[in-house]
Amino acid sequence: MKHTATLEAFRLRTGLRFAAVAAVAALALGGCAATGTTSDSQGTAENPVTITMWDWVDSSEAIKLFEASHPNIKVKLDLVSAGGPTYAKMFAAIKAGNAPDVGLIELNTLPQFIGTGGLLDLNKYGANDIKSDFLPWAWSQVSNAGGVYALPLSASPIGYHYNTALLAKYGVTKIPTTYAELATAAATYHKNNPEGYLIDVPPTANYLALLTWQAGGRWFKASGDEWQVGFTSAQSKEVADYLQGLVDAKLAFTEASYLAPWYQALSNGTLASFVGPQWADSLLSSQVTSQAGTFAISTAPQWTAGTQVDGQEGGGSLAVFKNTTHPEAAYTFVKWMLTDPQAQSLNFKSGYGWPTTTSGGTIPELDAKLPYFKDQNPKPIYSASNAATQQDWQWGPNYATVTTDLNGLLAKALSGQSTIWQALQQEQTTELARLKAAGINATTAP
């Protein structure tokens, strides 16, 4: 699932306090109360209960299948706008005590929702019993201190997407397997094609986070009663210096990914390749039609030769809100949506993204050959990427705000007003001050 627009309406408020937990800190937002639950929330076939789900993916086909096999539970699907606008409504609904029963929340935003106290701890309904059904990295994104505050719905494994015709035409005879090889290939490519670029460096926090995740850096880590902030870690500097080198040598295309200029560059051959998530496959086939049959996918470059360490660029979860009056029914639905084989197939076809469950990796839809990629089946690449994703990455308690800040700082850096490393240093200072002003114990990561 693609990362969406940043959340503008939610801001850290007076009264926000840090509550220490063993793995991820939970923030208590004043005024966000939860209502109680009922003892008969599963309903009966004669008197079914109705739960409401806010979602921006049309999951109606899966819902029909669920209702057929669970006649005591009805699901009302409210299709909402993606990302920020809906998150703002969710935060407001949590505070007012009238949130939906179930909602789609992206993994990088989930800590903010946990911080409100407005999500139901699904472990009370048996969530930890199905922990082994999910990939370790995905489970770590939704659980902390023994609590489980959502079930991971979709992954965003990564690969190297490249235009085979352009690479061959301009002298890149070996597909880069490391970032060092990618830089060398970028120099060769640009020398042979001065108007074109092999690779991009977008002014996007999520892309920088992805490469840092791969490099072993961690922008956030909850430790004891504090958040450790690591925008200036050694790994962050390694990534920043690497990307800055490409920019300074004028070897990189520097427009934002997944916007019109970026698609145009891929379409007209100005940009020949990029490191990106599985969900980019469908975007290429719909937005870069002129290059159908020329693109291929390989394993993403690595920072260390001979190893595979990956991160994710996106991903979503289904959470149950604490004010639900039907917690068992809501959890039954969420569990079914993520673990039923037929549901997983329907989820993938409807656009949720790559499954996060171990069984989801076997659904037949993943075996399809992709016509846009000259009938390549990228399943082995994305399955390996999921397996190689490091599980100790944590998103911060206000990552949406960080994204807004850092996107702006990176845009200035790529325009020559500063550097990528300076952008990270500034974000480190800003984030530490912001968290401390909110009453959160925050320190620079060692």
Side-chain angles (χ1 to χ4, degrees):
M1 180 179 301
K2 181 181 178 293
H3 283 163
T4 52
T6 57
L7 176 63
E8 299 293 346
F10 180 71
R11 289 290 184 266
L12 294 172
R13 300 174 175 90
T14 301
L16 193 62
R17 292 296 181 264
F18 185 87
V21 294
V24 176
L27 305 179
L29 182 59
C32 295
T35 61
T37 60
T38 61
S39 59
D40 60 344
S41 62
Q42 284 280 22
T44 65
E46 295 75 21
N47 187 26
V49 301
T50 298
I51 60 174
T52 298
M53 177 168 71
W54 288 6
D55 195 350
W56 57 81
V57 175
D58 187 353
S59 52
S60 55
E61 291 301 313
I63 288 173
K64 289 177 185 177
L65 189 62
F66 172 80
E67 291 179 335
S69 60
H70 297 76
N72 56 328
I73 305 173
K74 302 298 181 184
V75 180
K76 179 178 181 293
L77 173 63
D78 285 348
L79 286 173
V80 294
S81 57
T86 291
Y87 292 155
K89 293 177 182 178
M90 286 179 173
F91 285 119
I94 287 173
K95 189 172 184 178
N98 58 5
D101 299 280
V102 177
L104 174 61
I105 301 175
E106 290 165 294
L107 293 174
N108 64 2
T109 312
L110 188 63
Q112 291 179 264
F113 280 94
I114 295 173
T116 68
L119 300 184
L120 191 67
D121 181 359
L122 301 180
N123 191 37
K124 298 177 181 178
Y125 302 92
N128 265 325
D129 295 339
I130 59 172
K131 175 180 179 180
S132 61
D133 292 344
F134 294 85
L135 296 166
W137 76 263
W139 192 259
S140 71
Q141 296 285 303
V142 300
S143 60
N144 66 76
V148 181
Y149 295 95
L151 292 185
L153 169 64
S154 59
S156 294
I158 59 171
Y160 178 60
H161 300 70
Y162 62 98
N163 188 314
T164 58
L166 289 177
L167 266 65
K169 182 177 180 179
Y170 294 113
V172 180
T173 58
K174 178 182 181 296
I175 303 305
T177 60
T178 67
Y179 282 105
E181 290 179 354
L182 182 62
T184 299
T188 298
Y189 186 91
H190 191 63
K191 179 180 178 181
N192 295 332
N193 180 20
E195 302 301 316
Y197 303 92
L198 177 67
I199 195 64
D200 63 339
V201 177
T204 308
N206 290 331
Y207 180 76
L208 192 57
L210 168 64
L211 268 61
T212 305
W213 191 342
Q214 278 191 282
R218 300 294 178 261
W219 282 356
F220 291 97
K221 180 180 180 181
S223 178
D225 66 345
E226 69 181 14
W227 278 101
Q228 295 180 353
V229 181
F231 292 99
T232 53
S233 68
Q235 295 90 344
S236 293
K237 190 172 192 308
E238 177 186 10
V239 174
D241 289 348
Y242 172 83
L243 296 177
Q244 191 68 49
L246 293 174
V247 173
D248 289 347
K250 303 187 184 307
L251 298 178
F253 183 78
T254 57
E255 297 287 342
S257 307
Y258 313 112
L259 295 177
W262 189 78
Y263 290 125
Q264 183 178 4
L266 290 168
S267 296
N268 63 25
T270 300
L271 177 60
S273 72
F274 65 96
V275 178
Q278 174 268 332
W279 47 258
D281 298 356
S282 62
L283 294 176
L284 285 178
S285 64
S286 63
Q287 302 295 323
V288 192
T289 56
S290 64
Q291 298 296 337
T294 63
F295 267 87
I297 309 165
S298 66
T299 301
Q302 300 295 310
W303 291 104
T304 302
T307 64
Q308 184 171 359
V309 178
D310 280 351
Q312 300 273 319
E313 193 174 358
S317 70
L318 288 183
V320 177
F321 291 89
K322 202 171 183 179
N323 64 210
T324 179
T325 55
H326 305 299
E328 289 94 343
Y331 174 67
T332 296
F333 170 66
V334 169
K335 176 184 175 181
W336 180 89
M337 279 285 284
L338 273 65
T339 60
D340 181 86
Q342 289 180 282
Q344 291 184 88
S345 291
L346 289 171
N347 290 342
F348 183 77
K349 289 191 288 186
S350 66
Y352 278 124
W354 206 263
T356 58
T357 57
T358 54
S359 61
T362 65
I363 61 173
E365 286 72 17
L366 302 186
D367 294 322
K369 296 179 180 180
L370 305 183
Y372 183 88
F373 295 92
K374 205 171 182 179
D375 288 335
Q376 179 183 1
N377 173 22
K379 176 182 176 179
I381 293 166
Y382 294 133
S383 295
S385 178
N386 257 344
T389 297
Q390 295 297 290
Q391 69 181 70
D392 59 349
W393 177 272
Q394 295 177 4
W395 300 105
N398 59 340
Y399 184 70
T401 305
V402 168
T403 299
T404 301
D405 288 349
L406 198 48
N407 284 354
L409 292 170
L410 290 173
K412 291 181 178 179
L414 296 185
S415 68
Q417 300 178 53
S418 64
T419 67
I420 297 172
W421 176 237
Q422 287 171 337
L424 287 172
Q425 289 176 305
Q426 185 171 339
E427 185 59 29
Q428 177 78 11
T429 300
T430 299
E431 181 63 3
L432 284 174
R434 181 188 291 122
L435 294 180
K436 290 175 180 178
I440 299 171
N441 185 11
T443 62
T444 297

